[in-house]
Each structure stands twice: as C-alpha cells, then as structure tokens.
C-alpha cells in the first residue's frame, strides 16, 4: 500500500494523541484517532481510563461537538478498532454507523478477541481499509499490551542511570545524584506509563526509595503497583516503598512478618524460588495475569543482571552522565562470558540529550 505525505502527517498526529493516553489507558492499549474530511481535521481523541471511551469514540464525539458530519470521512487510528463487546461496545461498529469512507490503521490488534475481526467488519460494511502506516512506531507505543497479548507477560523496561564508565554509585554506595534533574524527571515519564515498578530488596535497604511517579514536587494521581522482590522478607516495616500499593514477593508468605506487612496494607505473595532467588518467569506470568502491560525495572546490579541473564529484558533506557566515577558500583551483575560470541547484541533505537545527560533507548538486536 502506498501512503501519501498527508496520510503520514495525520497518522503522526494520531500517534501523538496515543502518547497522551499511555499514563491512563492501562490495561487497555493507548490509542489515538484522527478524523479527516476534505483535508480538514474534524475530530480527534485518545483512549480514556478503563471503562470509558476508546479513541475512536472520543474522536467521533469530538467531531459531533464541532458540528461535523462524518459521512465519507477518513479515520487514522494507531491500532485496529476493536470488534467485540467488552467494557465498551465495538469501536469498529461505531465507525460503520457513522458512515466513514476509509480507515487507515497503523497496526493490527493481536488480542484474540480482535485479531483482524475489526478489519473484516469494516470491509464487509464497504469501508476502504488500509493497514501498516507507521506500523513500527505504533507497535512500540503499545509494546506492553502487544507483548501481554502474545506472550502472556508484560514488556520489561530496564532503566538505569550511570556514569561514562558504567558506574551507578560510588564504592561506598552514594548515588544521589549521578544524573541531573531533567534526566530524573524524564525517568518519571516511564514510571507513569508502567503498570508496575519492580525493584529488589537490596535497593530498598540501601536507598529507601518511594518509587512513586512525581510531577515536580507533586505525586501523580495514578501510581503504578510497586513490586519488591524480597525472598527472605528483610524489608523494614518503616520502608517508604510500603506507602501506597505495594506487592512483596517472597519465598514464605505465612510467617509473622508477612502478616504484619498485610496488616499495614501491603500484599505479600510467595513464588517459586531457586537458590533463594525468586523465579522471574513466574513473577512476570503473575503480573501478566494481573493485566499489567509494562514493567519498569529500577533495581541494582544483581536484579538487573538476573533479568538480563534470563533474557527477560525487552528494552533498556540508559541515562548517562558526563562523569567518571572510577571504582564504584556497576549497573549489571551478569554471568561471566568467555567469548565475544556470547555477548547479547542490543540495538540503539533512539538517543538524545536530556539536560546535561545523554539518554539512550535500546531494544534487542
């Protein structure tokens, strides 16, 4: 299919709307929709919080508020319109009822309840359907949802802030702050679009982090689930991370301390473990069952390395400060390699300056 420059521009606009939905749409995908007729945008919208309108319905309502007729219009939508009755009616049916003439879809929905059915509904109603415009961008904007639909587990994003020589802290553990305020605030955007923030007990004991999403000095209204891997329940009852929704994953959830944590409002669950380490595959399976699309991993070298060694990291967001720390604490404690042939290759997808620091986004090569 050959798309025009205008097609591309409208889909880019739809992708921008989808980004606005990322912090609020979960567990649904973050979708953007732009309605165009005679070269003019007549309505647009994005996915609202679960149980509310999807992007297409929001765009239709916006068009009606502006006094526009949708007959013969073109919809640019970042994901295949849904075709089933769930918490809301099918979006494909709404587009048919409004009399659209063409629908341009960035990528298909792998949800077994949709998976091409939305396209078939539109085509059977006589609507022209074109697929694949900005497909990779659209897939990546919903990587968590896509991964959960296909693999039944969340997309794992590992975030790390380091120096030029790969250190995340001084040898004495001091790490605040290696990167600047702008990089730290940028990192909160990734927390905001995640269903869960995962860390290890080592980080909790060393730094006592809150692991919340903040806009400046204010906490955001929606907070991800905070998950602490703590096989021996070493966590302090005064730990800041226990404020708000917290899931403590351990090996024994029937002990007295587990009960105290529950009384404080935390959820404590036992999961399979080997050599005192939580089974990470079991963890991700459980988070997938909880309809968590994106996991934001902010941890120390041991847990980072465990996820990497298990090949469970899908994306890395690296903030690199223009500093050299010397003999400090590294970012990844991985198994010793004996040849370069065993090195896992990563692909640099994006890089940019954030304040004085460099941000690099990597996905598997």
């Amino acid at each position: 299919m050959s798309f025009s420059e205008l097609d591309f521009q409208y889909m880019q606009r739809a992708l921008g709307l989808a980004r606005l939905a990322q912090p609020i749409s979960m567990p649904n995908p973050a979708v953007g929709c732009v309605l165009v007729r005679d070269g003019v945008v007549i309505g647009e919208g994005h996915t609202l919080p679960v149980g509310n309108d999807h992007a297409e319905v929001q765009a239709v309502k916006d068009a009606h508020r502006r006094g526009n007729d949708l007959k013969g219009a073109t919809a640019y939508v970042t994901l295949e319109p849904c075709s089933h009755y769930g918490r809301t009616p099918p979006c494909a049916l709404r587009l048919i009822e409004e009399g659209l003439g063409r629908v341009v879809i960035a990528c298909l929905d792998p949800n077994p309840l949709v998976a091409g059915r939305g396209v078939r509904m539109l085509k059977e109603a006589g609507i022209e359907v074109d697929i694949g415009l900005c497909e990779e961008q659209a897939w990546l904007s919903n990587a968590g949802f896509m991964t959960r639909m296909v693999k039944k587990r969340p997309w794992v994003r590992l975030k790390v802030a380091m120096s030029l020589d790969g250190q995340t802290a001084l040898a004495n553990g001091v790490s605040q702050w290696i990167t600047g305020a702008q990089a730290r605030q940028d990192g909160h955007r990734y927390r905001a679009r995640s269903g869960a923030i995962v860390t290890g007990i080592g980080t909790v004991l060393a730094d006592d982090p809150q692991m919340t999403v903040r806009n400046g000095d204010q906490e955001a209204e929606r907070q991800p689930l905070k998950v602490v891997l703590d096989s021996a329940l070493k966590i302090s009852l005064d730990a800041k991370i226990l404020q708000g929704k917290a899931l403590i994953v351990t090996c024994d959830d029937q002990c007295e301390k587990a009960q105290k944590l529950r009384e404080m409002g935390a959820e404590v669950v036992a999961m399979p473990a080997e050599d005192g380490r939580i089974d990470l595959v079991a963890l991700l399976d459980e988070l997938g069952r909880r309809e968590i699309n994106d996991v934001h991993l902010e941890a120390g070298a041991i847990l980072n390395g465990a996820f990497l060694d298990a090949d469970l990291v899908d994306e890395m967001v690296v903030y690199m400060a223009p500093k050299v720390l010397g003999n400090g604490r590294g970012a990844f404690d991985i198994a010793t390699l004996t040849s370069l042939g065993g090195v896992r290759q990563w692909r640099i997808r994006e890089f940019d300056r954030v304040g004085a620091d460099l941000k690099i986004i990597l996905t598997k090569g």
Side-chain angles (χ1 to χ4, degrees):
M1 174 64 202
S2 178
F3 294 102
S4 70
E5 181 61 31
L6 282 175
D7 286 334
F8 177 79
Q9 291 176 16
Y10 293 133
M11 187 60 79
Q12 286 296 309
R13 185 163 177 161
L15 286 164
L17 290 165
R19 284 191 289 274
L20 296 177
Q22 286 175 337
I24 62 172
S25 66
M26 60 202 73
N28 290 335
V31 181
C33 179
V34 173
L35 299 173
V36 178
R37 192 180 62 201
D38 299 326
V40 177
V41 174
I42 60 172
E44 55 189 15
H46 60 69
T47 315
L48 295 182
V50 65
N52 294 285
D53 290 341
H54 292 185
E56 299 91 331
V57 174
Q58 273 290 289
V60 166
K61 289 181 176 179
D62 182 45
H64 288 321
R65 279 193 296 269
R66 301 187 196 188
N68 292 315
D69 181 4
L70 276 71
K71 285 184 172 55
T74 296
Y76 295 86
V77 61
T78 58
L79 186 68
E80 177 183 5
C82 63
S83 56
H84 64 291
Y85 285 89
R87 297 181 179 99
T88 59
C91 293
L93 182 60
R94 184 62 181 269
L95 296 179
I96 292 167
E97 292 171 346
E98 295 292 337
L100 268 74
R102 181 187 181 212
V103 177
V104 181
I105 299 168
C107 63
L108 297 177
D109 188 342
N111 184 345
L113 297 174
V114 185
R117 292 182 180 87
V119 169
R120 285 198 296 274
M121 283 179 66
L122 296 169
K123 287 184 175 181
E124 287 170 1
I127 296 175
E128 179 185 351
V129 179
D130 297 317
I131 305 166
L133 177 60
C134 304
E135 182 176 16
E136 182 179 9
Q137 278 182 273
W139 193 98
L140 286 169
S141 74
N142 272 309
F145 175 81
M146 300 297 204
T147 300
R148 183 168 66 83
M149 288 297 106
V150 174
K151 297 183 178 180
K152 310 302 180 188
R153 70 160 178 87
W155 174 268
V156 177
R157 179 184 303 107
L158 187 159
K159 175 259 181 182
V160 64
M162 64 170 65
S163 62
L164 284 175
D165 50 346
Q167 306 302 302
T168 62
L170 299 175
N172 62 6
V174 173
S175 61
Q176 296 182 345
W177 298 103
I178 291 176
T179 53
Q182 288 174 269
R184 297 196 298 274
Q185 189 58 45
D186 189 69
H188 278 266
R189 294 192 307 106
Y190 292 98
R191 288 185 182 182
R193 59 189 279 189
S194 302
I197 300 173
V198 173
T199 194
I201 186 59
T203 297
V204 173
L205 293 176
D207 300 334
D208 194 20
Q210 292 177 293
M211 289 296 183
T212 54
V213 178
R214 293 185 295 277
N215 298 317
D217 294 330
Q218 301 296 317
E219 286 196 1
E221 183 176 346
R222 191 202 73 85
Q223 293 292 332
L225 175 67
K226 294 176 286 189
V227 182
V228 181
L229 275 58
D230 184 6
S231 58
L233 278 188
K234 295 179 181 178
I235 191 168
S236 166
L237 298 179
D238 297 322
K240 293 176 183 176
I241 204 167
L242 295 175
Q243 300 168 12
K245 296 183 298 181
L247 171 64
I248 312 302
V249 180
T250 186
C251 297
D252 178 9
D253 63 351
Q254 299 301 313
C255 63
E256 182 180 349
K257 190 169 185 180
Q259 185 56 35
K260 287 182 180 179
L261 287 164
R262 291 191 181 100
E263 291 170 358
M264 294 175 57
E267 183 181 0
V268 184
V269 299
M271 286 194 183
E274 184 175 350
D275 297 328
R277 290 191 175 186
I278 303 296
D279 184 326
L280 299 181
V281 173
L283 170 70
L284 294 181
D285 287 345
E286 173 61 23
L287 295 179
R289 283 192 291 271
R290 293 176 182 232
E291 295 190 308
I292 288 173
N293 295 333
D294 295 78
V295 161
H296 185 72
L297 178 62
E298 282 197 43
I302 292 175
L303 189 54
N304 286 345
F307 268 90
L308 285 168
D309 281 338
D311 196 24
L312 294 174
V313 177
D314 300 295
E315 177 181 44
M316 285 197 282
V317 179
V318 178
Y319 296 94
M320 185 172 288
K323 303 172 183 177
V324 176
L325 300 188
N327 185 25
R329 298 189 179 183
F332 313 111
D333 183 358
I334 61 174
T336 302
L337 300 172
T338 57
S339 74
L340 288 176
V343 174
R344 192 169 291 117
Q345 181 70 41
W346 291 81
R347 178 172 67 94
I348 297 176
R349 197 177 80 229
E350 297 177 33
F351 62 92
D352 195 10
R353 277 188 64 172
V354 181
D357 305 309
L358 180 67
K359 180 172 78 169
I360 309 170
I361 301 178
L362 307 102
T363 49
K364 291 178 181 178

